[in-house]
């Protein structure tokens, strides 16, 4: 069972599908098409969310894709994230995720800790830590690369091994670090990615 606060966010997001622009829906539908094709062939659905530092937006994508797959009952979905460089799952993004209802356990220490992100009692946690997109922790072939920032999109014109590549950039909440708006912006960015990721999975046939 998906945790109650996250279920509430899902319902709120679904009610806002009509607010997504037609241009954006056209991009998102490309991800849906990839997922639908994999499901039709009974093949694993591997989604790799890529941003420059793999610290904020790409982790939100990975986590919400796991939620959306569970909510819509889409089988064999594997979600990953990566960057053009390795940093850490930013502590502000971790804190915002906790405020939105995720249960997060830090399982290692150091400059790039590993986190287990839970959104339901009966679904495996999403493993979140920063890594390059071609890390051994990520698939080498047969995946859809979802580019979540313009910088990564420009710096990775080719993502080797990707069966599909879709750019859906989001504004970086990092710009608001240390400001009074910080918490609100981080939560808003997570909710925006939740909205669009849930829309993607709602189209899967």
């Amino acid at each position: 069972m998906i945790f109650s606060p996250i279920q509430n966010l899902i319902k709120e997001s679904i009610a806002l599908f009509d607010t997504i622009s037609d241009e954006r829906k056209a991009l998102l539908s490309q991800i849906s098409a990839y997922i639908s094709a994999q499901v039709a062939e009974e093949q694993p659905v591997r989604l790799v969310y890529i941003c420059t530092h793999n610290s904020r937006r790409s982790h939100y994508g990975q986590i919400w894709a796991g939620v959306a797959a569970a909510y819509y009952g889409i089988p064999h979905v594997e979600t990953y994230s990566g960057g053009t460089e390795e940093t850490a799952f930013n502590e502000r993004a971790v804190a915002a995720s906790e405020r939105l209802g995720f249960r997060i356990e830090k399982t290692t220490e150091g400059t790039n800790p590993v986190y287990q992100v839970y959104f339901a009692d009966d679904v495996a946690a999403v493993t979140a830590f920063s890594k390059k997109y071609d890390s051994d922790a990520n698939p080498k072939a047969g995946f859809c690369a979802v580019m979540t920032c313009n910088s990564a999109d420009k710096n990775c014109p080719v993502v080797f091994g990707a069966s599909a590549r879709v750019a859906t950039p989001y504004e970086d909440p990092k710009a608001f670090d240390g400001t009074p708006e910080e918490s609100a912006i981080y939560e808003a960015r997570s909710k925006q990615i939740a909205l669009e990721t849930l829309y993607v999975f709602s189209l899967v046939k």
Side-chain angles (χ1 to χ4, degrees), residues 5 10 14 24 49 62 65 80 92 102 110 122 127-129 139 165 172 181 189 198 203 205:
I10 291 170
I14 290 171
R24 194 72 173 178
Y49 291 83
Q62 177 188 8
Y80 305 88
R92 297 171 179 86
F102 292 92
D122 54 352
T127 300
F129 65 98
R165 181 183 184 280
D172 192 351
E181 296 84 15
R189 190 64 63 246
L198 286 160
L203 300 180
K205 306 301 183 185

Side-chain angles (χ1 to χ4, degrees), residues 11 13 29 32 35 41 51 68 76 84 105 140 145 161 178 180 185 188:
K11 291 174 184 175
S13 297
S29 67
S32 306
I35 298 171
E41 296 175 8
C51 200
H76 312 305
T84 54
E105 298 176 4
K140 298 295 184 232
I185 293 296

Side-chain angles (χ1 to χ4, degrees), residues 21-39:
S21 71
D22 289 342
E23 179 182 11
R24 194 72 173 178
K25 284 181 175 178
L27 286 172
L28 297 169
S29 67
Q30 295 177 40
I31 307 172
S32 306
Y34 167 81
I35 298 171
S36 294
Q38 294 298 104
V39 170

Side-chain angles (χ1 to χ4, degrees), residues 53-199:
H53 299 111
N54 189 206
S55 59
R56 297 169 175 82
R57 292 162 287 179
S58 48
H59 279 111
Y60 285 159
Q62 177 188 8
I63 292 165
W64 280 112
V67 173
Y71 180 78
Y72 284 105
I74 309 301
H76 312 305
V77 175
E78 303 170 12
T79 69
Y80 305 88
S81 66
T84 54
E85 57 186 271
E86 176 186 310
T87 56
F89 186 7
N90 187 269
E91 59 186 11
R92 297 171 179 86
V94 173
S97 299
E98 289 178 320
R99 291 195 298 272
L100 293 179
F102 292 92
R103 189 175 81 241
I104 301 180
E105 298 176 4
K106 184 192 289 186
T107 57
T108 70
E109 297 296 333
T111 58
N112 183 16
V114 176
Y115 298 88
Q116 298 299 319
V117 183
Y118 295 88
F119 58 85
D121 289 320
D122 54 352
V123 181
V126 175
T127 300
F129 65 98
S130 186
K131 69 203 80 67
K132 291 187 70 176
Y133 74 88
D134 58 356
S135 160
D136 287 342
N138 287 345
K140 298 295 184 232
F143 61 91
C144 177
V146 183
M147 317 303 288
T148 59
C149 75
N150 282 319
S151 176
D153 184 34
K154 183 170 66 176
N155 293 329
C156 287
V158 176
V159 178
F160 293 103
S163 302
R165 181 183 184 280
V166 184
T168 58
Y170 299 94
E171 293 295 327
D172 192 351
K174 179 181 179 180
F176 292 85
D177 286 4
T179 71
E181 296 84 15
E182 177 185 290
S183 293
I185 293 296
Y186 271 80
E187 291 177 27
R189 190 64 63 246
S190 181
K191 289 179 180 179
Q192 179 190 9
I193 292 173
L195 166 66
E196 297 195 348
T197 306
L198 286 160
Y199 177 76

